Amino acid sequence: WGSPSGGGAGDPWPPTAGGTAAGDPWSGNWTSEASQQHHGAEASRNRQEAQDKQMAARYAELERKRVEDEENAKRNEDMRQKKAQWAEDQRLQQQEQLVRDQEQMMRDREQARLDMEQEARRRRQDDARLTLKSALDPSMAKDPHVVEWALQEAKKAGVDEVDPELMAAAEQQLGA
């Protein structure tokens, strides 16, 4: 096909001055203006669509980033809370262990004190018992004050709990 403005061999359009055919709706300035307007509007639409697509893509990216940031913030807050809870649990466990250790130490001290008291009492009983035995020995028994004093010390020391026969013998000797 030949062009409306071109003419030439085999062109069904008769050549016209200025390259347009008279009365041709596709010819002349109207065609180029309409074409320019059509192409301009289409280009404008295309630019607008491209801008809209870019804006939609930017918005989608911003929204994706916002959601990701929220999820990260939530994860970070969850992790912070878990760490804080773990630290609090550790602190409480350490505090409870410290209390248990202190209680055990106090029990151990009390038991040691009781053991020492018991040992001291046992030694006092042994000493008073030996003193009373010595006072009852025939060589010492001549002095009733020594036997009486030894008997009083034996009573204070609780010798009657460990050797009631010896106590009875001392009281009998004093009563005799």
Side-chain angles (χ1 to χ4, degrees):
W1 294 93
S3 71
S5 60
D11 189 350
W13 302 97
T16 59
T20 61
D24 183 357
W26 299 106
S27 66
N29 289 339
W30 183 88
T31 301
S32 66
E33 284 175 20
S35 175
Q36 284 175 0
Q37 284 176 356
H38 173 72
H39 289 302
E42 189 175 332
S44 178
R45 257 191 325 276
N46 289 344
R47 276 193 309 274
Q48 187 62 45
E49 285 177 12
Q51 285 176 348
D52 289 349
K53 285 180 184 178
Q54 283 179 340
M55 291 296 284
R58 277 192 223 131
Y59 178 76
E61 178 62 22
L62 287 173
E63 184 62 17
R64 185 196 61 75
K65 181 150 178 33
R66 183 190 66 77
V67 168
E68 186 178 290
D69 288 348
E70 283 178 2
E71 289 172 353
N72 286 338
K74 185 178 184 309
R75 264 194 308 275
N76 289 341
E77 180 61 20
D78 288 349
M79 186 61 71
R80 186 196 66 75
Q81 287 180 358
K82 285 178 183 175
K83 285 180 180 178
Q85 185 62 48
W86 179 84
E88 179 65 13
D89 290 347
Q90 290 297 310
R91 187 187 68 76
L92 288 174
Q93 286 177 3
Q94 288 173 350
Q95 194 173 27
E96 289 169 359
Q97 185 62 45
L98 181 62
V99 167
R100 285 191 300 270
D101 290 349
Q102 287 175 338
E103 288 172 347
Q104 184 62 46
M105 186 176 64
M106 289 170 54
R107 283 191 300 270
D108 292 347
R109 280 184 183 166
E110 180 63 16
Q111 187 60 50
R113 185 187 67 76
L114 291 173
D115 290 348
M116 286 172 45
E117 282 181 6
Q118 186 67 25
E119 181 61 25
R121 185 167 192 266
R122 189 191 57 75
R123 270 192 251 119
R124 281 193 308 273
Q125 284 175 335
D126 287 348
D127 290 347
R129 188 171 155 270
L130 287 174
T131 302
L132 185 56
K133 266 186 168 183
S134 295
L136 292 176
D137 186 81
S139 64
M140 296 290 290
K142 294 182 172 79
D143 186 353
H145 295 304
V146 171
V147 175
E148 187 178 342
W149 173 82
L151 183 60
Q152 290 302 318
E153 291 300 310
K155 284 181 182 178
K156 284 189 222 171
V159 172
D160 58 332
E161 297 171 12
V162 291
D163 197 347
E165 295 86 18
L166 179 63
M167 295 293 286
E171 287 176 353
Q172 183 181 1
Q173 186 170 341
L174 276 177

